Amino acid sequence: MDMRRLVGLNFAKLRKDKGFTQERFAETSGFTQQYVSDLERGRRNPTVVTLFHLASALGVTPADLVAELDPSETD
């Protein structure tokens, strides 16, 4: 799987699990809603620093954003 798509899928799942909408995450994190949307669609290639900031805002580790998905979660 493409790493950008993997990060986007992981980010979207974690964001939803934490109860954030894209808009609310953007408001609290300093990222724009457009960036969040592009990230989730695999259209962004975040740097390691950005991964750190995204993970921190979600209360997870950067490794959680790049972890392999369970096959049941890719549908």
Side-chain angles (χ1 to χ4, degrees):
M1 176 181 294
D2 176 77
M3 184 56 71
R4 289 172 295 202
R5 179 163 155 68
L6 177 64
V7 169
L9 290 171
N10 281 331
F11 175 81
K13 180 185 181 315
L14 291 165
R15 175 184 60 75
K16 291 171 188 173
D17 288 351
K18 299 288 182 170
F20 284 110
T21 63
Q22 287 184 352
E23 294 81 8
R24 184 72 181 126
F25 182 82
E27 289 171 7
T28 61
S29 68
F31 290 94
T32 66
Q33 189 274 329
Q34 185 64 54
Y35 184 88
V36 172
S37 175
D38 288 346
L39 180 72
E40 291 185 5
R41 290 183 290 149
R43 295 184 179 197
R44 292 290 181 155
N45 190 21
T47 66
V48 293
V49 173
T50 300
L51 289 175
F52 173 80
H53 290 295
L54 289 166
S56 295
L58 287 173
V60 300
T61 68
D64 293 325
L65 294 173
V66 296
E68 281 196 42
L69 293 172
D70 181 321
S72 67
E73 296 180 283
T74 59
D75 298 334

